[in-house]
Every structure is written in C-alpha cells, then in structure tokens.
Amino acid sequence: MSVRELVVLGTASQVPTRHRNHNGYLLRWDAEGLLFDPGEGTQRQMLRAGVAAHDLNRICVTHFHGDHSLGLAGVIQRVNLDRVPHDVTAHYPRSGQRFFDRLRYATAYRETVQLIEAPVEGDGGALAVTPAYTLDARRLSHPVESYGYRLVEPDGRRMLPERLAERGIKGPDIGRLQREGAVGDVSLDDVSEVRRGQRFAFVMDTRLCDGVYALAAAADMLVIESTFLDEDVQLAVDHGHLTAGQAASVARDCGVRHLVLTHFSQRYSEPAEFERQARATGFEGELTVAHDLMRVALPKRR
C-alpha cells in the first residue's frame, strides 16, 4: 500500500532545545523516501521515529548552515554501514560543495553505497524526473545560498463508473481503454477525467521572494519555516527568515491545502501563538504547527 506522509524529525532553528531537535524531515512518497535538511542529531531521531537508512533514496539540503546540514555525516555513514541496496542521490547548493565534501568525509568509514552527487546552482530548475514525481528546486533569499524543493506528481486519470456503464465498457475492456486510449469509438476522455497529481513544497530559511511563491503554488502540502512571530518581523528580514504570518500569507495566496509551520526560534515557548498568528492572515486550509516525531499525512487527492 502506498504511503505519503511527512515524518518530522526536528523543528528547532539555530540551536536545539530540550523539546526540539535540529531540523530533519522525511517525506515518504510511496516506495521512496526523501530526507530534507538533516541537522545535528538526525540519525538518532530517525531511530526514534522508526525511519531506517534503507528508507532513504534522496537527501535534499537547502543550505549549509549547521542546523540544516550537520547531520549529513552521520546519515551518510549510516547508509553505508547498513549497506543500503540502492543508490542514494544528494542535492545541495553547488556553492557549498566544500562543506558537503567535509561532511561526507568527516571521519573514516567504509563506503559500500553509491552516493550520487547532484548539486543545484543558478536559479534552480528540474533536478529529477521519475514516473512517480518531478523534483524541482528554486533559489531563495538568505544570507547564504539557499534553495527550496518541490515535488509534483504527474497528472493521472480518474475513471467515471457512470460513463463507463453508459457506453457499455466493463471488465477487461476498462484496462484496455486505459492502456490504449480507446476501445472502438469510445475514447479515454469520454469516460474519465483528469486527476491532478499531488504537489509537495519544502521551503526553509528565506525572506519573502519569488522563489517562495513558485514553490508553494497550489501545493497540497507546504512545509515552511516560521522562525519568528510577527512582532519580530524586522529580525526576520535582517536574518533572512519568515514570520508565522508571512508563511501563512504565502499559503493563503498560493492556494495551499495543508500548511506545516516549523523551524521555530528558541526564544518562543508557546507554539499556539504561531497558529493564532497564521490563522489571523485568513488562511483557511489545514494547519499544523510541527513538533518533533510527528507524522503528517498528505491530503487525499482532490
């Protein structure tokens, strides 16, 4: 059975707290697992969340600040220790190649897995096209080069039983129609409709910019940083971050179905205020204020 869910491994910004680990987010997308921004302690959080090294197919790093990347060394070594039987692809800003190299070879270990380096540069763009999704990246606005990521499932078709019955299409002919596009004078368009593919966006450290909106556009789930509360908006601008209200306004304007707020400054101890300020923008979709080790299912297809 296919599973599409976000496993939150850590939600802290800059430094961990008693209740928040450094960043780490696993997206389960059917048979694949994409690990985003493995901060310090990610390997242990994976164990606590029941995430195995074998679950990882891609590692996507938005930028090379420590709270988003210091866990790379442990994760990469665990992938090799466990002899993961498939290649693992790593995406990260090409400008941070020296940091990636240092983390990949931070200590001695035996390499048993093919780790494919596929860095991002320029304004981003398509990184991978698979039968299950297209993975894109977009440039963000942060003091160091940073990218967000977006998965888009190809559109499919939804068969309409009443139209099939009207045209006498049943049994093996339904499968034939799906494969060949027509049975006699009945076309696939006559008895089905487009089923829009799911869309997932991951936006970390950034100010508001065009890249944020491009990533979030019509996303079924948007995972986005909300480091500061709205009263500290100038701190957010100065340090290249978003407030809860800014993140929610993006979700509102982009038609996001499920908004997941994360990456909270250690100065705040009351998560309910992030939800209150997000709702104050008029965002009416599903809203989750993330906490460590929670699982969030992607919304069902429309």
Side-chain angles (χ1 to χ4, degrees):
M1 182 178 68
S2 64
V3 175
R4 293 187 180 179
E5 68 174 2
L6 177 74
V7 183
V8 179
L9 303 173
T11 57
S13 70
Q14 195 171 41
V15 297
T17 72
R18 288 186 178 89
H19 305 291
R20 300 176 187 150
N21 198 74
H22 266 169
N23 289 279
Y25 310 86
L26 177 80
L27 176 64
R28 294 191 187 275
W29 191 272
D30 301 335
E32 290 201 29
L34 295 92
L35 178 64
F36 294 90
D37 279 6
E40 184 180 354
T42 292
Q43 184 182 181
R44 185 170 184 273
Q45 293 294 93
M46 287 170 59
L47 291 170
R48 297 181 68 199
V51 175
H54 284 63
D55 295 331
L56 306 184
N57 297 87
R58 295 184 188 274
I59 302 172
C60 301
V61 177
T62 59
H63 66 291
F64 283 102
H65 277 154
D67 54 329
H68 297 260
S69 62
L70 280 175
L72 265 173
V75 170
I76 290 173
Q77 291 189 28
R78 185 57 180 269
V79 163
N80 285 274
L81 178 66
D82 289 0
R83 297 178 177 269
V84 169
H86 52 258
D87 295 348
V88 176
T89 302
H91 304 287
Y92 52 88
R94 185 180 292 279
S95 61
Q97 185 68 53
R98 65 191 186 281
F99 301 122
F100 183 86
D101 292 343
R102 291 170 187 167
L103 289 163
R104 181 176 180 177
Y105 297 111
T107 65
Y109 66 97
R110 181 181 179 185
E111 290 188 278
T112 63
V113 176
Q114 177 71 20
L115 181 65
I116 300 169
E117 298 182 9
V120 190
E121 59 187 337
D123 292 329
L127 302 176
V129 179
T130 78
Y133 60 80
T134 296
L135 176 65
D136 290 296
R138 290 291 183 274
R139 182 79 173 266
L140 298 174
S141 174
H142 197 54
V144 301
E145 191 171 64
S146 184
Y147 291 89
Y149 296 93
R150 174 179 170 93
L151 271 79
V152 177
E153 178 185 32
D155 290 341
R157 305 291 302 189
R158 180 183 290 109
M159 305 303 288
L160 302 173
E162 65 280 6
R163 294 191 189 177
L164 289 167
E166 288 172 3
R167 290 163 174 79
I169 303 296
K170 57 185 178 180
D173 282 342
I174 296 176
R176 181 182 163 200
L177 181 62
Q178 291 174 313
R179 292 190 304 272
E180 300 177 10
V183 172
D185 60 354
V186 178
S187 72
L188 188 59
D189 287 340
D190 292 333
V191 295
S192 68
E193 62 184 8
V194 173
R195 184 194 66 191
R196 198 195 75 160
Q198 288 184 313
R199 304 174 186 189
F200 170 88
F202 186 81
V203 177
M204 283 293 119
D205 298 17
T206 184
R207 304 174 183 91
L208 290 175
C209 63
D210 290 344
V212 173
Y213 290 95
L215 292 161
D220 293 285
M221 178 179 285
L222 168 63
V223 180
I224 188 168
E225 68 122 314
S226 57
T227 308
F228 294 102
L229 292 173
D230 292 343
E231 55 267 29
D232 294 319
V233 64
Q234 192 56 53
L235 281 174
V237 173
D238 292 346
H239 295 284
H241 287 291
L242 297 174
T243 68
Q246 288 175 326
S249 69
V250 169
R252 179 199 63 207
D253 295 345
C254 290
V256 169
R257 296 176 64 198
H258 193 152
L259 171 64
V260 180
L261 299 179
T262 188
H263 193 271
F264 308 113
S265 170
Q266 67 270 22
R267 71 182 58 219
Y268 309 115
S269 59
E270 183 46 65
E273 186 62 15
F274 286 88
E275 181 174 1
R276 189 194 68 77
Q277 293 191 2
R279 286 299 187 195
T281 67
F283 174 72
E284 297 179 348
E286 292 185 74
L287 173 60
T288 298
V289 177
H291 61 77
D292 289 18
L293 304 180
M294 78 183 310
R295 296 172 182 267
V296 188
L298 267 70
K300 294 182 179 179
R301 295 183 180 88
R302 295 182 187 273

